[in-house]
Amino acid sequence: MSKRPKPGTSATSVLLDIRVPGDATADAAADELSPPLSSLARALSSLLTSSRPDSQLKAIRDTAHALKVVRSGTPLTHQQLSFFQKTVRSILPGFCDAFFSKAEPSTRMALLAVLSRVADFENGVLRQEVIDIIKSGFTAFLKATSTACENRATVENDIIPTFCSICFSMVEWSYGHPILMESLELSFLTLCSLLSTVTGSMTVKDDALRTSQRVKSCTELLRTALSFFAKLGSGLNGQNMRSLLDGASAQEAMKALLDQSVQITFSDSEAFVRDCRFVSGIVLAWILELRSNELRDWVQVVFFGDQYMDSFKELVNLSKLVTVGSEDIGKFYPLLCFIHGVLSTVGGQAALVVDHTAKKSLLSTTYERVASTVPNITDPSTRIMTFQTLSVWMTSLRDALRMNYKIVGINVAVVFKELFDFVFTFWEDPVDATQHKLKDIFCVILEITSDLKEKGDLEFSTERSFVYEIVTNLLAVDWSRKVSFHIPFLHNQ
């Protein structure tokens, strides 16, 4: 038996009422028990008698270590295997309940280690039992969290950190993947409900501390949504995710999350901090991807003009915000967050989304909107984000070229010369992060140049090549600047 910690309580401050078979501790030193099994029994006995969070955590870790030794040691006898299975079955409910309580990250990781090692023991003889009990616990946790949304104070202070931590653990855990996919709609609905609760309670009358806490909660939830999309939203999992989120309730939640992501990404700095808007921009791009068809019609609306507006009226506001961000330097940072999200999500396939009438692609239009604004940027953090976005753009271009996609609307040599001018001009910026982003751009320039040279591209393989121009320019500068451009690296290329 085990007592389920109430939502919002700490597993490290609650003694787990885990009932071990009566002979588990009594026979810990008996001859018929192997040393690893004796260690397991002692660790569980220590867990039962722990009176402090740190000693309880140590006992959980000792249990995980003992399980690892048992699993990798000599095969168990029939009697030892019987003892082991009986002992493990008795502790599973308590460890599962603790995992879904408000545990510290270190405690949750230790609990996860115990559950994983039980599942992996003896070719998975107990695996299905572990999966079933985790599945049941996760469903109960999601339902309890949905109910708890009515209490906003509890949501912000307790429920959201616990929800995000558990979802991250489930996404990263190999056995958690299929469980999360089975409960994906409920998980997604719960996340959207929590986000609506937080954003709906934000007012201009909030003090700085309360606003900061709510922005932090929004960021945690958006990162959780991003982990869902990044881990479960691509490839075959992406097809499954689309089908699992195809229900009316899930589609309504997706629409709400789309609106909230647009609101957060394109908000001013007084409402949401930059980190929150950055994550929101990536989430926004993922939502558009998951709701689109293979042609990515949303790109036509958002980036290529008014003639497509009638088919996607829900994206009209987003299209206007993108246009404003391109024209108003004060609104440029939100646009960067969105373009960064689009490029990191779509990748090299951005070259395939083409407006044949204007002879532009998503790859070319995103470059134009970002690069054309560089000379006008005076804010250091916006400049860093601009070069980070251009670095992601370069990676997308590299991937497109390696896939032999047709590059519409881009002259690679001209673009490289413009980018190298940025590198050359801003390399000695006093902000170190700027140089790091420029180095990323520079390295990808050299990488693509090497690829094109191997393909025999005349622009990149003759004496009058782009590399020749780079070297000529670099050798012309004084030595104090020359060493900072990593000439040996260039030479190796």
Side-chain angles (χ1 to χ4, degrees):
M1 284 294 290
S2 65
K3 294 179 181 177
R4 180 182 296 276
K6 296 179 180 179
T9 62
S10 172
T12 55
S13 61
V14 176
L15 285 178
L16 305 179
D17 183 19
I18 305 172
R19 184 164 299 168
V20 181
D23 59 347
T25 57
D27 292 345
D31 293 339
E32 61 270 19
L33 287 187
S34 63
L37 286 179
S38 297
S39 298
L40 175 61
R42 285 194 297 270
L44 294 174
S45 296
S46 177
L47 180 60
L48 291 173
T49 58
S50 297
S51 58
R52 301 191 318 274
D54 58 339
S55 61
Q56 191 175 65
L57 174 58
K58 181 180 183 304
I60 296 172
R61 286 173 171 167
D62 288 345
T63 302
H65 177 71
L67 287 167
K68 180 181 179 181
V69 174
V70 171
R71 185 182 64 180
S72 60
T74 57
L76 301 179
T77 65
H78 177 75
Q79 182 179 358
Q80 291 171 343
L81 182 60
S82 176
F83 167 83
F84 175 80
Q85 292 182 351
K86 187 177 181 182
T87 301
V88 166
R89 286 191 175 101
S90 72
I91 69 173
L92 280 178
F95 277 72
C96 177
D97 291 345
F99 179 80
F100 290 111
S101 66
K102 186 190 171 186
E104 293 294 323
S106 55
T107 304
R108 184 167 287 113
M109 290 299 295
L111 291 165
L112 192 62
V114 171
L115 295 169
S116 296
R117 286 164 186 173
V118 171
D120 290 338
F121 183 78
E122 288 288 326
N123 298 320
V125 65
L126 297 172
R127 183 174 302 160
Q128 192 57 49
E129 293 182 40
V130 174
I131 292 174
D132 289 343
I133 198 168
I134 291 293
K135 187 185 302 182
S136 175
F138 187 49
T139 301
F141 167 76
L142 291 175
K143 291 180 178 179
T145 302
S146 298
T147 303
C149 285
E150 299 173 4
N151 186 338
R152 288 180 176 175
T154 301
V155 165
E156 293 171 16
N157 298 327
D158 296 325
I159 300 300
I160 288 178
T162 302
F163 173 82
C164 294
S165 176
I166 288 172
C167 287
F168 274 125
S169 298
M170 295 294 287
V171 166
E172 296 295 333
W173 188 30
S174 58
Y175 297 121
H177 257 195
I179 295 173
L180 186 57
M181 288 297 287
E182 287 187 30
S183 306
L184 185 61
E185 182 173 7
L186 181 56
S187 303
F188 195 78
L189 291 172
T190 303
L191 186 150
C192 293
S193 178
L194 289 170
L195 187 60
S196 296
T197 300
V198 177
T199 56
S201 63
M202 295 180 69
T203 67
V204 294
K205 297 181 180 180
D206 289 342
D207 58 41
L209 182 60
R210 182 173 296 180
T211 299
S212 175
Q213 177 60 45
R214 289 176 176 171
V215 171
K216 179 182 177 183
S217 296
C218 285
T219 306
E220 288 182 356
L221 288 168
L222 289 168
R223 288 189 187 280
T224 303
L226 184 56
S227 71
F228 285 175
F229 297 144
K231 295 289 185 178
L232 308 175
S234 58
L236 182 60
N237 278 335
Q239 298 175 11
N240 294 336
M241 192 174 194
R242 283 184 172 88
S243 62
L244 290 169
L245 295 177
D246 199 36
S249 298
Q251 284 297 308
E252 185 177 344
M254 286 279 276
K255 175 62 170 63
L257 185 57
L258 172 67
D259 294 339
Q260 289 167 341
S261 298
V262 171
Q263 175 192 349
I264 294 171
T265 304
F266 289 90
S267 65
D268 57 54
S269 57
E270 295 180 0
F272 294 95
V273 296
R274 292 194 166 204
D275 186 48
C276 185
R277 288 184 287 167
F278 174 77
V279 178
S280 181
I282 304 176
V283 171
L284 174 56
W286 267 109
I287 296 170
L288 292 170
E289 274 289 274
L290 288 171
R291 300 184 77 209
S292 71
N293 55 27
E294 293 182 358
L295 298 177
R296 294 188 172 93
D297 291 338
W298 64 268
V299 175
Q300 308 289 338
V301 180
V302 175
F303 288 102
F304 291 153
D306 296 336
Q307 64 267 36
Y308 303 99
M309 291 292 187
D310 292 339
S311 302
F312 297 88
K313 293 183 179 180
E314 63 183 26
L315 299 180
V316 171
N317 183 47
L318 176 58
S319 178
K320 291 179 179 178
L321 290 169
V322 168
T323 301
V324 170
S326 302
E327 299 171 350
D328 183 353
I329 191 66
K331 304 289 186 182
F332 185 57
Y333 185 84
L335 176 62
L336 281 174
C337 294
F338 177 51
I339 290 178
H340 181 279
V342 170
L343 292 172
S344 61
T345 303
V346 178
Q349 293 185 24
L352 300 178
V353 188
V354 178
D355 181 356
H356 294 285
T357 303
K359 296 182 179 179
K360 296 189 298 184
S361 66
L362 176 58
L363 200 60
S364 66
T365 193
T366 50
Y367 176 78
E368 291 168 4
R369 290 173 188 258
V370 176
S372 62
T373 313
V374 171
N376 302 322
I377 298 173
T378 57
D379 176 61
S381 58
T382 302
R383 183 179 292 126
I384 292 170
M385 182 61 185
T386 301
F387 291 138
Q388 181 176 343
T389 303
L390 285 173
S391 176
V392 176
W393 184 90
M394 286 291 295
T395 303
S396 299
L397 174 63
R398 180 199 64 194
D399 294 344
L401 290 170
R402 287 180 174 176
M403 294 297 293
N404 293 319
Y405 294 153
K406 183 179 180 180
I407 309 299
V408 176
I410 296 175
N411 183 314
V412 176
V414 172
V415 167
F416 278 14
K417 290 175 183 177
E418 184 174 18
L419 288 174
F420 181 70
D421 285 342
F422 294 155
V423 173
F424 199 75
T425 302
F426 295 100
W427 188 265
E428 295 183 356
D429 190 281
V431 181
D432 288 343
T434 301
Q435 188 177 118
H436 292 316
K437 303 305 177 186
L438 289 169
K439 182 181 178 182
D440 292 340
I441 294 173
F442 190 40
C443 289
V444 182
I445 286 176
L446 298 176
E447 196 175 346
I448 295 176
T449 300
S450 177
D451 289 347
L452 293 175
K453 183 177 179 180
E454 289 180 5
K455 290 181 178 180
D457 190 300
L458 293 178
E459 190 75 31
F460 294 89
S461 60
T462 65
E463 189 179 86
R464 300 174 59 83
S465 69
F466 174 66
V467 173
Y468 182 81
E469 291 187 37
I470 290 180
V471 174
T472 301
N473 289 332
L474 291 179
L475 292 177
V477 303
D478 60 83
W479 281 102
S480 62
R481 297 189 67 193
K482 195 177 296 181
V483 294
S484 67
F485 280 92
H486 306 281
I487 297 295
F489 174 79
L490 178 61
H491 177 72
N492 291 336
Q493 290 295 314

